[in-house]
Amino acid sequence: MHEVGYPVHSLSEVLGAICDGIITTTTRAPRPGSDPARKMDVMPWRAEFTTMVALWRPLLSYGVSVSSEAVVAVDGIRNDRIKISRCRGDMLREPRLTLVFWDVKQGKSPRQLRSLSLDEEVGDASAATQAIRYQDIHVVSTFRYTADTQTVSFWLRKDVVDAMLDGLGEWTAYIWRTNSWENTGDGLPIATRLEMGESWASTARIGRQ
């Protein structure tokens, strides 16, 4: 967008706001009419977005101003894997699925995720739901499914993954549909299912050799 004339400071502000998890926007989930600008949190996607910004930042021609908490170095990003044996392989080839991590210690995952994930007029604006969005759910939209091993792999900042493994929660991985925001099956405990992989930095070094 910068190459076609979009102001650098505006791009930096947009990316920085998303990395910090709070945006001001007139955009809403599709529905008739227009809506006023308001602040909304996008915290469930923050871990993935800050990961993506860290990976692509060297290619940007401008800086991104973010809080220290949102900054992650490339050697702090890891490619982890989860064996998804309870989900049909053909389903994972559909381009409308996302990987969701949910802390079941806070309660059973909801049947329908849309209302919980929307911080707007038609979403769930309760204090309890906001607390969940801030600390008990991570959504990862970019992952790879390997049919031969029935394994889902994904790049994510390892401080987030390690906190899920080492903390007091009971984190579980689900595959959710993005067209209906319903899960496709039972969750899998990452404490026993997750395999840690290589860091982005080590992969980049190998590629340069």
Side-chain angles (χ1 to χ4, degrees):
M1 294 178 68
H2 171 50
E3 294 177 351
V4 298
Y6 203 83
V8 168
H9 69 276
S10 296
L11 289 171
S12 178
E13 288 175 359
V14 169
L15 292 177
I18 299 175
C19 285
D20 288 336
I22 304 292
I23 62 174
T24 300
T25 181
T26 59
T27 303
R28 302 292 192 274
R31 60 173 180 257
S34 59
D35 295 282
R38 61 165 286 178
K39 286 187 176 182
M40 292 188 284
D41 78 71
V42 289
M43 298 300 288
W45 291 269
R46 187 187 187 203
E48 181 182 35
F49 196 82
T50 52
T51 298
M52 294 297 107
V53 169
L55 296 181
W56 291 101
R57 198 169 184 174
L59 300 181
L60 298 178
S61 58
Y62 53 89
V64 180
S65 178
V66 298
S67 64
S68 58
E69 183 184 352
V71 174
V72 55
V74 291
D75 60 356
I77 298 171
R78 194 172 58 213
N79 185 223
D80 293 336
R81 297 173 293 276
I82 299 175
K83 190 170 181 62
I84 306 291
S85 59
R86 302 181 192 176
C87 191
R88 296 200 325 268
D90 58 335
M91 183 179 295
L92 284 168
R93 296 189 180 94
E94 299 177 5
R96 53 177 177 267
L97 301 176
T98 194
L99 180 63
V100 174
F101 296 96
W102 176 272
D103 185 2
V104 297
K105 195 170 184 178
Q106 306 303 322
K108 184 179 179 181
S109 68
R111 175 179 173 82
Q112 216 273 357
L113 198 62
R114 186 174 186 269
S115 178
L116 181 144
S117 63
L118 286 177
D119 179 25
E120 49 132 271
E121 293 84 355
V122 300
D124 187 341
S126 67
T129 296
Q130 185 181 58
I132 289 173
R133 284 198 301 266
Y134 269 66
Q135 60 189 16
D136 299 320
I137 181 173
H138 298 295
V139 179
V140 178
S141 58
T142 305
F143 62 88
R144 172 180 290 179
Y145 174 65
T146 304
D148 292 345
T149 59
Q150 293 186 324
T151 301
V152 167
S153 61
F154 57 95
W155 291 98
L156 199 65
R157 48 188 305 165
K158 65 182 183 181
D159 60 341
V160 170
V161 178
D162 291 348
M164 289 193 286
L165 292 171
D166 301 337
L168 300 177
E170 297 176 6
W171 288 86
T172 304
Y174 297 84
I175 299 295
W176 287 72
R177 292 180 176 273
T178 56
N179 57 342
S180 64
W181 286 109
E182 296 178 344
N183 64 36
T184 62
D186 296 333
L188 302 170
I190 68 170
T192 57
R193 290 280 183 155
L194 187 138
E195 299 177 7
M196 297 180 186
E198 70 278 13
S199 72
W200 179 271
S202 65
T203 302
R205 285 193 293 270
I206 293 173
R208 289 194 296 267
Q209 293 177 355

